[in-house]
Structures are given as structure tokens and as C-alpha cells.
Amino acid sequence: YASNGQGGMATSAMQPSPKKPGPPSHASQHHLDHHFPNPFNASTTIEYYLASDSDVEFEIFDMLSRSVRKIRISNQRQGHHQLRFDGRDKFRRALPSGIYLYQMTVGGYVETGKMVLLR
């Protein structure tokens, strides 16, 4: 947390705050919107926006930077989309409780978010 100089507090960039889904301020850019619920137990939904028809890859990492799952989506249309992540690794085993990073890659664009899994 950081003080805003007027007695209020602002959250750090380490804790992304939910925002309304919608195109980013510059609609020519791909963008992660948010995910919900967070923390999650059985599954979480990641919302994102594509500025153009694209192939998309999501990769989930544990806190030791190990890749635990990759999800590839081919030929996805421009616009808003949702991805449901079921909290399982590439072998379909339930992941343990913990903090995980998810990374969206579209062409040369990469954006990362953080989620908490509670079993």
C-alpha cells in the first residue's frame, strides 16, 4: 500500500483491482480484463479482449516459475472472451492451494495476472 498524501491509501500493482469488462482505453490493443472469483476453489473465469482475430495462448505458472498448464485457442475472433480455468495441471491433476500467475500471449503481446487457489 502507498499513501496518496491525503490520508487515503492506494493498493499496489501487485493486487490488481477488478474493473468493468470492456475494450481497453485504446481498442487496438489486446487486453486482460479480470478474473473471478479470486480466490477460487473449483474454477475461475479469465476475461480478455482481442483487438483482432488471433491465436491465443494462456500459460499458468506456480510461484517457482514452473509452467503447470498451457491452453491454446486457435483462430479466435476479435472481441471479448472468457476462459474457464479448472485449477488442474497439464496431467489433469488438481493443483494445490497457492498463488499462481497466468500469462496471455497473442502474437508479440504478453500480459500477466495473478490468482489464488484455495482448496
Side-chain angles (χ1 to χ4, degrees):
Y1 293 95
S3 171
N4 66 6
Q6 299 176 1
M9 300 296 279
T11 58
S12 75
M14 296 294 290
Q15 193 71 14
S17 58
K19 55 185 167 182
K20 294 180 182 178
S25 58
H26 192 281
S28 65
Q29 297 176 354
H30 306 298
H31 181 74
L32 281 172
D33 282 329
H34 69 284
H35 66 280
F36 59 90
N38 189 34
F40 73 100
N41 180 298
S43 68
T44 189
T45 300
I46 300 168
E47 294 189 339
Y48 57 100
Y49 173 80
L50 298 177
S52 59
D53 295 359
S54 305
D55 294 337
V56 181
E57 180 177 276
F58 281 89
E59 191 163 9
I60 313 298
F61 297 92
D62 65 15
M63 290 310 291
L64 297 175
S65 298
R66 295 179 296 207
S67 176
V68 297
R69 179 106 176 254
K70 284 186 183 180
I71 302 166
R72 292 186 177 103
I73 307 165
S74 297
N75 303 316
Q76 197 156 45
R77 296 278 187 205
Q78 179 271 337
H80 297 281
H81 299 278
Q82 293 183 336
L83 172 73
R84 184 177 164 269
F85 174 62
D86 61 5
R88 296 187 175 276
D89 70 10
K90 57 189 164 195
F91 302 109
R92 307 301 299 151
R93 298 176 300 208
L95 291 167
S97 294
I99 299 171
Y100 293 87
L101 300 176
Y102 58 97
Q103 185 174 71
M104 179 179 81
T105 303
V106 184
Y109 177 84
V110 177
E111 189 172 351
T112 304
K114 182 171 66 170
M115 59 188 163
V116 178
L117 172 60
L118 293 177
R119 295 264 181 220

